[in-house]
Amino acid sequence: MQMRNSNRRRQRGAGFGLVWCLRLIPVIGGLLLSLMAVPGFAASSTACQGGGFSVLGLSGEQKRIVLASNVGASFLVKGKYVEFTVDAATFGVRDWTMTGAPNPLDITGGRRTVVFTAKVPDHGRLFLNSDVSVEISREALVIQRMGSGLSMKIQAKDCANGGIFQIEPARADGTATRFTHVLASDVFYFDNPNVRNRLGERIPCSGVLPDGTPVVCVGANPDGTVTVTPQTNFANDSSANLVGRDSPQVATLVSFPECTNNIPNPFHPGTVVQCGGVSQWDVASGGRMGQVMGEDATEIAPKAQRCTSNCTAQDRVQGKAVVVGFPFPVPFAVRLKPRVFNGFTQP
């Protein structure tokens, strides 16, 4: 096991222009009156060496508003380590990819790897049509767009691993947004046996950093421990270090009975109701769906704290979390099945 320092930092950003603020006041009650600055995700500086995004003709550190007339039906977010395409009218994400660019903390084995073919929100009849706000800061990116009664924000980091992606919906009517996540054909969800082997244990999530700073995990038990609960990760059969997990905040996994899995385990057998290649999530207005890659995806840490306004990575873990890893190759008995639910169609 490893002890991982997951301290997060909070940064604030500049506000939107006056016109945008006036549009937002009746729409979201001030929820998104300011543009979030680049979040302090968990990826280390080594994992982000040389990282940096280009999007909508912009690159390098800057804050810009890209006029709606200059935004096509979709646009590419291109980094050294991470690439994905964004549907302009929905902020749905297509072909979320790790490029396999050389890095000491690479988890792909140097292979270009599509992880998700789609991360798509269902907005019903609502859509995005405003100018697009872009903030690039070193390896980090924040993009945001609005429509009538709707706002979407994507935050990303161009790093070889860590907490490097999250997407946040906000709706004037306060209803949840359903997201459909579709893994690439060679990537699969699984119940992590390294976690299940320790269910119910209380594992320390507090301690002292090398510089002497005391830390405590937010949301830990009163004694600074975390009670181990089951964890679903995703991986493939090509890269021994490639592992990730969905990181929901104020979001609920949609259950499909046909995707009920009986998980064998000599210590803690159990049941997981989730499909192997697709997941759906109902995300509260102001909540978010994050994505964590690498060893951070297998740490034993508290669930994300409830947050529905200006949520950044420091609302997750602050402390020293134990990393338990995962078996490679992943045993077939703990890979979730079937891959899709009845009636699924590719979004």
Side-chain angles (χ1 to χ4, degrees), residues 127-161:
F127 58 92
L128 307 170
N129 58 4
S130 73
D131 301 338
V132 177
S133 172
V134 177
E135 181 175 355
I136 305 172
S137 178
R138 296 185 180 180
E139 71 276 0
L141 171 72
V142 181
I143 53 176
Q144 186 164 338
R145 196 178 199 194
M146 293 172 291
S148 179
L150 175 67
S151 177
M152 291 286 290
K153 177 166 62 177
I154 291 174
Q155 301 181 74
K157 288 201 80 173
D158 186 27
C159 304
N161 66 45

Side-chain angles (χ1 to χ4, degrees), residues 160-175:
N161 66 45
I164 52 181
F165 182 86
Q166 70 181 39
I167 187 167
E168 306 172 21
R171 293 176 59 107
D173 59 13
T175 60

Side-chain angles (χ1 to χ4, degrees), residues 18-40:
L18 177 61
V19 173
W20 283 39
C21 289
L22 290 175
R23 289 179 62 188
L24 276 174
I25 288 172
V27 174
I28 315 178
L31 176 64
L32 297 171
L33 287 177
S34 62
L35 173 63
M36 286 297 300
V38 176

Side-chain angles (χ1 to χ4, degrees), residues 50-314:
F53 286 110
S54 61
V55 58
L56 292 170
L58 304 175
S59 61
E61 295 196 30
Q62 57 185 301
K63 299 178 183 179
R64 289 288 191 90
I65 300 297
V66 178
L67 298 179
S69 57
N70 293 329
V71 179
S74 65
F75 55 88
L76 177 67
V77 176
K78 184 175 179 61
K80 179 178 181 179
Y81 304 106
V82 173
E83 295 179 11
F84 54 91
T85 298
V86 179
D87 294 334
T90 65
F91 263 33
V93 170
R94 307 284 180 176
D95 295 328
W96 193 98
T97 300
M98 303 196 80
T99 67
N103 184 282
L105 299 179
D106 169 62
I107 62 176
T108 68
R111 301 177 181 88
R112 183 176 180 85
T113 303
V114 179
V115 180
F116 285 92
T117 60
K119 292 169 166 278
V120 178
D122 181 358
H123 298 308
R125 297 182 178 181
L126 302 182
F127 58 92
L128 307 170
N129 58 4
S130 73
D131 301 338
V132 177
S133 172
V134 177
E135 181 175 355
I136 305 172
S137 178
R138 296 185 180 180
E139 71 276 0
L141 171 72
V142 181
I143 53 176
Q144 186 164 338
R145 196 178 199 194
M146 293 172 291
S148 179
L150 175 67
S151 177
M152 291 286 290
K153 177 166 62 177
I154 291 174
Q155 301 181 74
K157 288 201 80 173
D158 186 27
C159 304
N161 66 45
I164 52 181
F165 182 86
Q166 70 181 39
I167 187 167
E168 306 172 21
R171 293 176 59 107
D173 59 13
T175 60
T177 300
R178 178 159 293 187
F179 280 78
T180 300
H181 287 187
V182 184
L183 293 171
S185 60
D186 59 343
V187 181
F188 51 84
Y189 286 113
F190 68 97
D191 181 85
N192 191 334
N194 289 15
V195 178
R196 182 167 290 274
N197 288 344
R198 307 186 66 173
L199 292 189
E201 290 186 30
R202 296 167 70 96
I203 294 181
C205 194
S206 305
V208 179
L209 301 182
D211 63 3
T213 304
V215 291
V216 177
C217 281
V218 175
N221 298 321
D223 62 357
T225 64
V226 176
T227 303
V228 181
T229 57
Q231 181 169 293
T232 297
N233 289 108
F234 51 80
N236 65 16
D237 287 319
S238 303
S239 305
N241 295 316
L242 191 142
V243 64
R245 64 178 170 84
D246 294 314
S247 179
Q249 190 169 39
V250 202
T252 303
L253 177 67
V254 180
S255 296
F256 296 94
E258 60 269 35
C259 292
T260 299
N261 290 262
N262 294 316
I263 305 298
N265 186 279
F267 308 104
H268 307 285
T271 300
V272 174
V273 184
Q274 184 171 341
C275 303
V278 175
S279 63
Q280 287 194 327
W281 304 82
D282 287 335
V283 184
S285 178
R288 58 106 174 132
M289 284 301 304
Q291 179 181 330
V292 183
M293 302 298 298
E295 67 175 26
D296 286 1
T298 64
E299 65 184 7
I300 304 299
K303 301 295 185 184
Q305 299 298 290
R306 182 176 178 83
C307 176
T308 56
S309 178
N310 290 341
C311 304
T312 57
Q314 82 287 339

